[in-house]
Amino acid sequence: MSFRKVVRQSKFRHVFGQPVKTEQCYDDIRVSRVTWDSTFCAVNPSFVAIIVEASGGGAFLVLPLHKTGRIDKSYPTVCGHTGPVLDIEWCPHNDHVIASGSEDCTVMVWQVPEGGLVQPLTEPVVVMEGHSKRVGIIAWHPSTRNVLLSAGCDNVVLIWNVGTGEELYRLEGMHPDLIYSVSWSRDGSRFCTACKDKSVRVIDPRRGTVLLEKERAHEGARPMRAIFLADGKIFTTGFSRMSERQLALWDTENLEEPMGLQELDSSNGALLPFYDPDTNVVYVCGKGDSSIRYFEITEEPPYIHFLNTFTSKEPQRGMGWMPKRGLDVSKCEIARFYKLHERKCEPIIMTVPRKSDLFQDDLYPDTAGPDPALEAEEWVAGQTAGPLLVSLRQAYVPSKQRELKVNRHSLLHDGRSAPTATATASAAPAPTAPSSRLSAPPALSTGTGSPAAGGRLDEVLQEVAALRALVAEQGQRIARLEEQLSRLENGHV
């Protein structure tokens, strides 16, 4: 009888993190020292935004992704708030629009010019005033244009129509204490909150009702967080009664007991979860930690499967998370973090090692695109829709060795037989076809005096067309064989 340990099969088991080179970091940035459990960083495929120290108000940097290296102290900032900025988030439907919440009790939405800032940005597109205390949480609707959620220390959640600047819904009296986190569901029909009273609530904003409530989701008194997963389950981070950090997974059909519960360690930093709905992987970063742990959520017990830990030397002050459409799919990159140190921002790339350089369909299912599924008026009227999905295959750039090379230049040379078209590929040789299909055309004469010249030219053109079709067919066959080879190498029979 064999007692060999069975290792759970997962394509993400060997995911590894790699910090970029020093010259690709953003240096000499004075990251905010505000005592608030926010990420302090927001990223999209065009810009990285970082909340920074500012005198006489609140400010944040907006840098084009390519603007790496040392950032000059005089670099322009977004500086319209009169109090420290607590949270920022890019609009998922416009890479040049960002929202910010501040201690000055306001929510502001900004339009960043093409190419980034060349002078300080002091005039927001819209200012939304409705909170009586500082605004610590900002969350855009995942699938509806111009709908923004804000939560303040007045324990009130507000839903705004950014396009008009008006308040759509005011949800008060639902939270008796400070709101720690807010997360929209995948289709934006509801959201979940984590509160200082240790309860997790699921709320329908359009009806203004609490649909579900789980009291004492985590027994500890320190901050907890809750996020919606793609299938409607809720993932929470918090502390036990003995101040040990915990992760838990909850089924919204039955909140009596968690589906899975794991204890991590005894550190005191709040755990910030980042969720990838395409791969069902959750990355957990602790404020003040120097590591990123990642877990795969599955349908089989114990439901939360530890994958690996990325560890570095410096503690993190905050963390940014790149949307899937901003990743380099040709290098099998499945996540990219922007780790905030005390004086710099360091990108960290998470990669799945693969031998094949083909586009990896299993790593990159269709993901949320930049186009909204609904307008704000449609959502208010009761319509619900998930994000519009796009394929990342268009972003795939094959390596140069894999370019198809067809040699046609000598097909009509005087008195010579034309060579066959050749296709080169790096991963697999071209399969041999029957000789009758690949035979070279007969020797051709280019003399114009023969009455049969026109007929010979037609033959040449037909032969060229046949060769082109043959090359295309063989290229498709090579691609199919390489895809089969990739599946075999990765254990998918």
Side-chain angles (χ1 to χ4, degrees), residues 47 49 58-62 74-82 85 90 96-100 108-114 116-126:
F47 300 101
F60 58 94
L61 273 175
V62 174
S74 62
Y75 193 86
T77 60
V78 180
C79 51
H81 285 286
T82 57
V85 177
W90 289 103
H96 292 266
V97 172
I98 188 169
S100 59
M108 295 185 181
V109 178
W110 312 83
Q111 175 93 34
V112 178
E114 193 78 35
L117 300 179
V118 292
Q119 59 186 15
L121 186 59
T122 58
E123 292 298 323
V125 177
V126 59

Side-chain angles (χ1 to χ4, degrees), residues 227-304:
I227 56 172
F228 255 120
L229 304 187
D231 58 1
K233 296 184 179 67
I234 295 175
F235 182 88
T236 61
T237 65
F239 292 82
S240 70
R241 190 177 296 167
M242 303 300 292
S243 292
E244 293 174 311
R245 297 198 290 190
Q246 295 178 323
L247 312 173
L249 184 66
W250 305 86
D251 186 351
T252 50
E253 301 295 324
N254 179 15
L255 289 175
E256 290 300 315
E257 292 293 329
M259 296 173 63
L261 179 67
Q262 290 191 17
E263 292 189 346
L264 295 183
D265 52 35
S266 299
S267 297
N268 57 9
L271 291 170
L272 309 177
F274 297 88
Y275 173 60
D276 180 0
D278 303 329
T279 58
N280 246 19
V281 174
V282 176
Y283 303 83
V284 179
C285 314
K287 266 291 188 72
D289 288 6
S290 55
S291 63
I292 302 172
R293 297 177 176 91
Y294 31 108
F295 303 81
E296 185 176 4
I297 311 297
T298 67
E299 296 296 328
E300 306 86 35
Y303 306 108
I304 305 173

Side-chain angles (χ1 to χ4, degrees), residues 44 89-99 140 146 325:
N44 69 19
E89 185 170 328
W90 289 103
C91 175
H93 308 123
N94 188 332
D95 286 347
H96 292 266
V97 172
I98 188 169
W140 289 93
N146 291 342
R325 57 192 175 88

Side-chain angles (χ1 to χ4, degrees), residues 174-182 191-203 210 212-227 234-239 250 255:
M174 298 180 178
H175 300 89
D177 214 326
L178 180 67
I179 302 169
Y180 284 138
S181 76
V182 177
F191 61 83
C192 67
T193 64
C195 182
K196 194 175 181 179
D197 68 352
K198 304 179 184 177
S199 291
V200 172
R201 296 173 176 85
V202 177
I203 297 170
V210 177
L212 300 166
E213 182 173 352
K214 172 58 184 175
E215 298 179 355
R216 307 188 76 81
H218 293 276
E219 298 282 348
R222 290 179 178 168
M224 55 187 274
R225 293 204 161 220
I227 56 172
I234 295 175
F235 182 88
T236 61
T237 65
F239 292 82
W250 305 86
L255 289 175

